Amino acid sequence: MASYRLRINGGERTIELSDPDQPLLYALRGLGLTAAKFGCGLGQCGVCNVLLDGRATRSCLETIASAAGKSIVTLEGLGSISAPHPVQAAFIKEQVPQCGYCTSGMIISAVALLAEKPKPTEEDIREALEGNLCRCGTHVRIIRAVMAASGQGG
Amino acid sequence: MAVALAPHRLTRRAVLKGGALTFGFAFAGLPTHGLADEALAAPRSVNPNEVDSFLSVNGDGTVTLFCGKVDLGQGLRIAMRQIAGEELGISVDMINYVEGDTALTPDQGRTSGSNGIQRGGMQIRQAAATARQALVELAAQRLNTKADDLVASDGEVRPKSGGAGVRFADLIGGRSFNLKLNSKAPLKDPVTYTLVGKPLPRPDLPAKCTGSLTYIHDFSLPGMVHARVIRPPAIGATLISVDESSIKHLAGASAVRIKDFLAVIAEDEWTAVRAARALRAQWSEWSGLPAQDKLIETIRANPATTEEVLVTRGQPGTGSPSRAMTRAASYFWPMQSHGSIGPSCAVADIDSDKAIVWTASQGTHGNRKTFARFLGLPEEKVRLVYLDGSGCYGMNGHEDAAADAAILSRAVGRPVRVQWSREDELGWDPKGPPQLLDISGAVDPSGRILQWHTEMWLPQTTRGLPDVPLLAPAAAGLDNVRGLQPGLISQNADPPYAVDSVQVLVHWLEDAPLRPAPLRSPGKPANCFAVESFTDELAFAARLDPIEFRLRSLADPRGIAVIKRLAALMNWQSRPSPGSNKDAAIMRGRGMAYVHYKHNETYVATGMEVAVERTSGRIRVERVACTHDCGQIINPDGVRAQVEGGIVQTLSRVLMEEVKFDRSRVTSLDWSTYPILRFSDAPKLDIALVDRPTEPPLGAGDASCAPVGAALANAVFDATGARLRTVPFTPERVKSALGGV
């Protein structure tokens, strides 16, 4: 057993693990932070995305050992129902999710994009979200919500 | 991260309370009611003929709605509240909601076939109307006045002329109506609607956008173990031996084998994943699948068929045969996966005399019988509780994962969570079946369709089969149903247009290469692809504009209306296809298709503007326009979202999706071998909804899927002069078709 200190959503958590290669995703979900979802375990779909030092990162591939010491932000850490992050608020206002399984990863990727490019073009958004899959077909609403969150609505 | 083991029988009560918080979804700020606890103590009525099964008026003035249909992301949680609130006279934020729990909600049938609103919603409308009539009568007694002089509104019944009313809660709060659904209970006049027809926001979205909604994947029970099921390397293989020493280095992991059903369990999820990877097992050889590159020939040559004439109408026309232009073409739609973004998951807690299964199944009620059968329990001892899952569009692996969990929970005596892998989901979810259609027909130069003949090959639904057969009971040698259940896949194989003589012949196949199940708009995307592509082929023969050609032979005014509105939306220039730029490097064109879903439901006309790159063969869909008439609209934004999703998802199916297999198993097991549409291919959407408040509401989940394939094929033909008749329209297929121009 080895001990790892994780900085998650502004707080410190220590977890004991026998396998340092355990992906971050399982540790987060084991801690009750279930917004990041399991989708493929292959880094192909983006539903497990979290912010790692501000970058949208596949938590199904990132090992605990490599995540330790970095700042980890999950969807829960961005905002809440009573105080949503602007991107969360835009997703709600634009009535984006259907099943909602991809939503956490989409919002995380969008937040990372807006941190880098506060006024993205539609092409920027498509490019930034190209690695995030949605099966319900909400792509157009997602683009609209990210534009709105960047103050470029309408 | 070992989970402390609690004796889980003692915690069942606490668990159900937790469950109630998640599925007894309430608006923020409203009290929850501990419904699950009450239901275990004294089961409530779930008879779909009783008002009390659908709704109760609580002492605090709220109403609780009990819905047997489930919200898969299509917005029933708000639409059902709008329907009930409208008829009762209470605002939607005063309505609590319980769904898809076999112990608490009436059996309204599977949430499928776009019947959530058009059937399930109408039951709730009738229940609410019956309840309102009763409330008004109670108030008339209380106020000593005539019922006709009273109105139900804002949760109370009050005199129409003004003055103090009586709250619903004071009339019947906490007590039963004891009434049958009254089909004659007066319904509100749509002119007076204040809730139905409004784009009210879906109440579950704040939780979905902040990570606070409990999906089945997020649900856990005290004492629960994590499992992974090991499917065989070949579909029909049997298990010869298991080497348990291969996982003994993983603390707490163990293998469970029941005949050919093999799984690993562990205290934490990651150990279960590692154990599933490490476990060595020997399976028999099996190679019973047909060769994929000979699939069409195999289907045509299948001797195990029954022929049936599904449609025959009209007489051979009086037009001069010498002026008839005959055409014939063959269309193929491949096997496709639901492609759920989250692999299936379920949690079960089974002991010797009862079973509770948490599942994202679209048919909790129907599955109760199935689960009771293979668990050997009486149906009333089996309870299935719906929790949100990753989007499922017919029947993906949800039910299979639930059966996995149930069988494992019984075997190990603890609650079990089963999570499928990506490979499991794409490899083993039941598939939309392959569909082959040959169409021949004749048209005269005036555009009159003289003759139409559709011949198609489809897997036959096994008579009396209650559900799609499940994997785990079959592997474990338990009592399981056998047969095929692909859904109602033979509809819309005849044209919606006036034709002198029409025949549809189906060759029903007794087997299917892979286990079939209904997949969104079952069968219709393929049938409409063939019928509406062939319609354009006839229009081309007659040198007529595709819309003009259709309107000449269409009588249904609602169908005509959606097509004309589409033409306006697209600024459609009337001319025959193809256009004049088919020699350009990037060829642009437009096309459309029309469906009257099942010939008696929703009307849809869909048009596309495409650009086809000659050198790469890549199709870019630049814009999709759609006009959609599903009768009375309950929630326009909900309908719009369904139409958007239906178009984009089907576009993905048409452009890129085909299940690949070798002689033993599915080989398209990840998103690189089974690609689906990404943002770079998401088109602009222009959707016009036709609201008909005085018509019955029809389904909105499926109909928009049907015309997508033909609209795209027709647009590509308009751009290039090349006709695509096999889905998916991969760049290789496009290049090959262009080479033949």
Side-chain angles (χ1 to χ4, degrees):
Chain A
M1 282 284 176
S3 177
Y4 296 90
R5 276 170 49 174
L6 298 177
R7 287 194 287 138
I8 307 172
N9 297 334
E12 287 246 346
R13 302 289 285 262
T14 302
I15 59 168
E16 304 283 332
L17 285 183
S18 56
D19 179 11
D21 291 333
Q22 174 175 332
L24 176 61
L25 176 67
Y26 293 91
L28 293 173
R29 295 182 59 82
L31 292 168
L33 294 168
T34 55
K37 299 281 188 268
F38 173 75
C40 64
L42 306 164
Q44 295 178 338
C45 74
V47 304
C48 65
N49 275 8
V50 299
L51 293 172
L52 211 60
D53 284 343
R55 293 172 61 93
T57 305
R58 310 283 202 226
S59 68
C60 75
L61 296 182
E62 190 77 16
T63 65
I64 291 290
S66 67
K70 294 178 185 159
S71 156
I72 301 162
V73 177
T74 69
L75 187 71
E76 293 98 333
L78 288 178
S80 62
I81 290 180
S82 56
H85 182 280
V87 176
Q88 291 173 318
F91 270 60
I92 296 166
K93 180 156 184 295
E94 297 294 338
Q95 293 284 289
V96 170
Q98 289 187 27
C99 86
Y101 200 85
C102 73
T103 302
S104 173
M106 292 287 180
I107 291 176
I108 291 287
S109 294
V111 168
L113 167 70
L114 295 181
E116 211 170 279
K117 260 191 196 160
K119 299 283 177 199
T121 64
E122 190 180 310
E123 265 325 291
D124 293 334
I125 296 170
R126 286 176 187 264
E127 203 172 297
L129 298 179
E130 187 70 1
N132 290 70
L133 289 175
C134 166
R135 184 55 162 170
C136 296
T138 67
H139 305 72
V140 172
R141 288 188 186 220
I142 290 170
I143 294 169
R144 202 156 65 217
V146 180
M147 286 300 265
S150 69
Q152 306 181 95
Chain B
M1 293 207 300
V3 178
L5 271 186
H8 76 276
R9 305 292 167 231
L10 298 179
T11 62
R12 190 188 295 274
R13 194 177 160 79
V15 161
L16 286 167
K17 227 173 188 169
L21 288 175
T22 59
F23 62 78
F25 185 86
F27 281 85
L30 287 176
T32 52
H33 296 273
L35 292 163
D37 276 358
E38 287 163 19
L40 269 197
R44 46 176 283 108
S45 166
V46 292
N47 179 341
N49 299 316
E50 304 277 343
V51 170
D52 296 313
S53 305
F54 289 96
L55 60 92
S56 64
V57 174
N58 306 309
D60 62 2
T62 61
V63 166
T64 303
L65 200 54
F66 298 87
C67 187
K69 302 281 187 192
V70 297
D71 194 324
L72 310 157
Q74 81 282 41
L76 291 189
R77 287 171 187 148
I78 188 62
M80 293 297 193
R81 281 179 166 100
Q82 287 175 263
I83 291 169
E86 187 70 70
E87 288 303 327
L88 269 176
I90 191 165
S91 65
V92 291
D93 55 358
M94 292 294 281
I95 301 177
N96 305 307
Y97 198 74
V98 178
E99 66 189 304
D101 182 333
T102 59
L104 301 179
T105 65
D107 181 359
Q108 296 185 274
R110 222 180 146 74
T111 309
S112 63
S114 278
N115 63 23
I117 297 292
Q118 65 182 324
R119 305 234 163 72
M122 295 308 95
Q123 285 175 306
I124 281 178
R125 177 173 277 172
Q126 215 58 50
T130 308
R132 181 191 61 202
Q133 193 175 35
L135 288 165
V136 169
E137 280 162 14
L138 284 170
Q141 290 167 21
R142 184 79 64 92
L143 298 170
N144 199 19
T145 181
K146 287 198 308 233
D148 285 351
D149 295 335
L150 298 172
V151 62
S153 177
D154 295 329
E156 63 175 26
V157 183
R158 59 176 172 247
K160 286 177 180 166
S161 56
V166 195
R167 295 193 323 143
F168 291 174
D170 296 330
L171 291 168
I172 201 166
R175 288 180 290 119
S176 302
F177 283 95
N178 292 321
L179 285 173
K180 299 268 183 236
L181 254 64
N182 176 6
S183 63
K184 298 202 169 60
L187 299 175
K188 275 198 176 163
D189 182 346
V191 171
T192 68
Y193 281 168
T194 58
L195 297 175
V196 166
K198 300 286 185 293
L200 301 185
R202 284 171 274 149
D204 44 354
L205 296 207
K208 284 180 175 174
C209 292
T210 53
S212 46
L213 186 122
T214 302
Y215 287 82
I216 180 64
H217 305 74
D218 311 329
F219 181 71
S220 68
L221 296 175
M224 181 183 87
V225 289
H226 292 267
R228 291 291 185 279
V229 176
I230 320 294
R231 303 282 175 213
I235 288 170
T238 54
L239 183 52
I240 296 166
S241 65
V242 180
D243 175 9
E244 291 193 56
S245 71
S246 56
I247 57 169
K248 72 169 191 280
H249 63 291
L250 295 167
S254 57
V256 178
R257 177 186 179 175
I258 306 167
K259 208 167 166 276
D260 296 322
F261 178 73
L262 180 62
V264 290
I265 59 165
E267 300 294 332
D268 72 277
E269 189 168 9
W270 179 240
T271 303
V273 174
R274 293 171 74 198
R277 289 176 185 167
L279 185 69
R280 280 200 298 269
Q282 202 188 348
W283 300 84
S284 68
E285 300 284 325
W286 183 88
S287 55
L289 290 178
Q292 180 148 31
D293 60 356
K294 299 278 191 298
L295 184 58
I296 292 175
E297 293 88 326
T298 308
I299 289 170
R300 280 189 199 282
N302 192 328
T305 63
T306 311
E307 276 64 45
E308 184 184 359
V309 174
L310 291 179
V311 178
T312 179
R313 63 172 185 259
Q315 296 292 325
T318 54
S320 158
S322 64
R323 301 181 67 215
M325 294 169 285
T326 59
R327 293 289 182 274
S330 197
Y331 304 88
F332 182 70
W333 191 285
M335 274 185 285
Q336 293 177 332
S337 169
H338 292 262
S340 295
I341 294 298
S344 294
C345 181
V347 175
D349 185 7
I350 315 294
D351 59 27
S352 58
D353 67 346
K354 57 186 175 303
I356 308 186
V357 180
W358 287 264
T359 171
S361 168
Q362 293 180 212
T364 46
H365 278 282
N367 273 295
R368 203 174 172 204
K369 201 185 287 288
T370 305
F371 278 61
R373 179 204 302 262
F374 72 73
L375 290 170
L377 289 172
E379 213 179 312
E380 63 272 16
K381 295 291 184 188
V382 176
R383 177 180 179 186
L384 286 93
V385 182
Y386 176 77
L387 286 177
D388 288 71
S390 173
C392 157
Y393 315 92
M395 181 180 152
N396 66 354
H398 287 326
E399 283 85 351
D400 284 306
D404 293 341
I407 288 170
L408 285 167
S409 175
R410 188 167 65 174
V412 303
R414 290 170 63 177
V416 173
R417 174 183 183 271
V418 169
Q419 167 72 66
W420 280 21
S421 67
R422 172 52 42 208
E423 295 83 344
D424 292 337
E425 188 69 33
L426 288 172
W428 293 90
D429 79 320
K431 304 293 188 285
Q435 290 179 250
L436 174 64
L437 297 98
D438 288 347
I439 304 184
S440 60
V443 65
D444 76 10
S446 76
R448 176 172 174 173
I449 309 172
L450 306 171
Q451 184 250 324
W452 184 294
H453 185 264
T454 300
E455 188 169 353
M456 59 184 172
W457 288 259
L458 297 172
Q460 182 167 33
T461 297
T462 305
R463 206 177 292 276
L465 189 71
D467 257 311
V468 176
L470 299 176
L471 298 172
L478 301 173
D479 192 3
N480 194 26
V481 295
R482 283 169 179 277
L484 307 177
Q485 172 47 288
L488 298 168
I489 55 176
S490 66
Q491 298 153 318
N492 289 113
D494 55 325
Y497 311 109
V499 180
D500 292 356
S501 118
V502 180
Q503 189 182 66
V504 176
L505 170 72
V506 61
H507 303 271
W508 290 117
L509 310 176
E510 289 166 23
D511 46 32
L514 297 168
R515 182 176 56 142
L519 173 55
R520 194 168 185 176
S521 187
K524 271 73 83 184
N527 298 343
C528 188
F529 163 56
V531 166
E532 283 290 288
S533 291
F534 193 75
T535 298
D536 258 38
E537 299 206 38
L538 294 181
F540 172 60
R543 296 291 183 272
L544 285 170
D545 171 77
I547 285 185
E548 169 65 23
F549 180 73
R550 284 171 173 79
L551 291 177
R552 284 188 187 188
S553 301
L554 187 60
D556 191 319
R558 288 172 71 176
I560 292 169
V562 291
I563 292 177
K564 285 190 168 170
R565 185 130 179 228
L566 178 77
L569 197 60
M570 293 183 76
N571 194 22
W572 183 275
Q573 305 298 310
S574 185
R575 57 166 174 76
S577 288
S580 56
N581 70 354
K582 62 187 168 59
D583 297 321
I586 293 179
M587 299 163 278
R588 287 196 152 74
R590 89 297 194 248
M592 59 80 63
Y594 161 73
V595 73
H596 182 197
Y597 196 68
K598 300 182 185 175
H599 288 317
N600 60 14
E601 292 184 10
T602 295
Y603 299 83
V604 188
T606 299
M608 296 201 191
E609 293 168 5
V610 301
V612 183
E613 294 171 2
R614 177 172 296 281
T615 50
S616 67
R618 181 168 180 243
I619 299 170
R620 271 207 326 274
V621 179
E622 298 186 321
R623 179 178 177 230
V624 181
C626 177
T627 51
H628 188 274
D629 170 2
C630 60
Q632 180 189 83
I633 294 176
I634 308 299
N635 184 317
D637 189 65
V639 170
R640 189 173 289 276
Q642 284 304 289
V643 173
E644 291 169 2
I647 291 168
V648 172
Q649 187 181 88
T650 312
L651 198 54
S652 175
R653 292 170 67 180
V654 174
L655 282 172
M656 49 192 80
E657 295 182 32
E658 175 169 28
V659 172
K660 299 284 174 47
F661 53 92
D662 61 21
R663 304 305 290 265
S664 298
R665 61 180 308 195
V666 173
T667 54
S668 48
L669 298 172
D670 66 11
W671 296 123
S672 66
T673 47
Y674 192 87
I676 63 172
L677 182 141
R678 291 178 185 266
F679 276 89
S680 51
D681 284 313
K684 284 190 172 31
L685 300 175
D686 267 320
I687 293 161
L689 302 180
V690 179
D691 189 10
R692 298 188 183 274
T694 57
E695 295 286 341
L698 303 167
D702 288 325
S704 70
C705 303
V708 169
L712 182 55
N714 293 340
V716 169
F717 178 77
D718 186 63
T720 67
R723 175 60 61 181
L724 299 173
R725 300 191 183 93
T726 300
V727 168
F729 301 166
T730 57
E732 296 69 36
R733 283 219 174 93
V734 173
K735 277 197 284 189
S736 157
L738 289 174
V741 172

